[in-house]
Amino acid sequence: MVQPNVIDERKLNALKVLASQSAQNAYAPYSRYKVGAAVLVEDGRIYGGCNIENAAYPSGICAERVAIFKAVEAGHRKIIALAVSTANGGSPCGACRQVMREFLDDDTPIFILNGVGELVEEMKFSDLLPRSFGPEDLQISA
Ligand code: THU
């Protein structure tokens, strides 16, 4: 019997590949720090994102949020795995963690990759953002 909480290895591999590929499309002329991200949703689709900077610095956006927002715009509300790729295996920023909180569960796997696509770290979402504020605090189910 298929375990509902076990994710197909091939999907996870495709997720990691897309995160790495998406970093190549990063628009990061100011920081020169390219980030790629990808999210896997329940029906098996995968959405990629890259950071997109702006001459007015705060108007830029992180790779993770681009990927999450693309999935949400396509009608998805539950992300079952997320991968992020940077040259040095950097960790998601605080703002992205809070956006993840809306669409990931505490035990959703997060994969941190380096610039050559190697897995640097794997964790569950609650390791990134423990004791978090979320929809339940407003008594709303996402
Ligand atoms: N960045 C991301 O895309 N994701 C993160 O989680 C950390 C930071 C981007 C934002 C900015 O374009 C560049 O990396 C340097 O901060």
Side-chain angles (χ1 to χ4, degrees):
M1 207 179 77
V2 177
Q3 301 280 316
N5 57 351
V6 173
I7 305 169
D8 186 342
E9 266 318 307
R10 286 164 304 180
K11 284 285 170 198
L12 291 180
N13 195 49
L15 180 79
K16 293 169 195 166
V17 168
L18 185 60
S20 297
Q21 286 176 342
S22 296
Q24 294 170 22
N25 291 329
Y27 177 71
Y30 307 106
S31 72
R32 304 259 165 220
Y33 189 74
K34 295 184 168 205
V35 187
V39 297
L40 174 64
V41 298
E42 282 176 301
D43 69 2
R45 286 188 168 87
I46 300 173
Y47 297 87
C50 60
N51 54 330
I52 304 169
E53 298 183 347
N54 192 280
Y57 289 7
S59 300
I61 187 167
C62 292
E64 297 92 324
R65 275 177 281 164
V66 170
I68 293 168
F69 293 161
K70 280 168 66 181
V72 172
E73 188 281 334
H76 303 288
R77 295 292 182 269
K78 193 176 176 87
I79 286 161
I80 63 170
L82 182 148
V84 56
S85 164
T86 59
N88 62 351
S91 198
C93 80
C96 288
R97 293 177 195 207
Q98 185 61 39
V99 171
M100 290 177 202
R101 173 66 177 83
E102 200 77 16
F103 304 107
L104 279 65
D105 290 333
D106 271 351
D107 60 358
T108 301
I110 309 279
F111 302 95
I112 308 288
L113 309 170
N114 67 17
V116 290
E118 293 166 341
L119 185 64
V120 173
E121 213 179 347
E122 176 180 345
M123 68 202 76
K124 54 188 172 106
F125 172 67
S126 61
D127 295 327
L128 274 184
L129 193 66
R131 301 173 61 83
S132 60
F133 182 86
E136 301 82 359
D137 294 296
L138 299 176
Q139 297 181 330
I140 290 170
S141 55

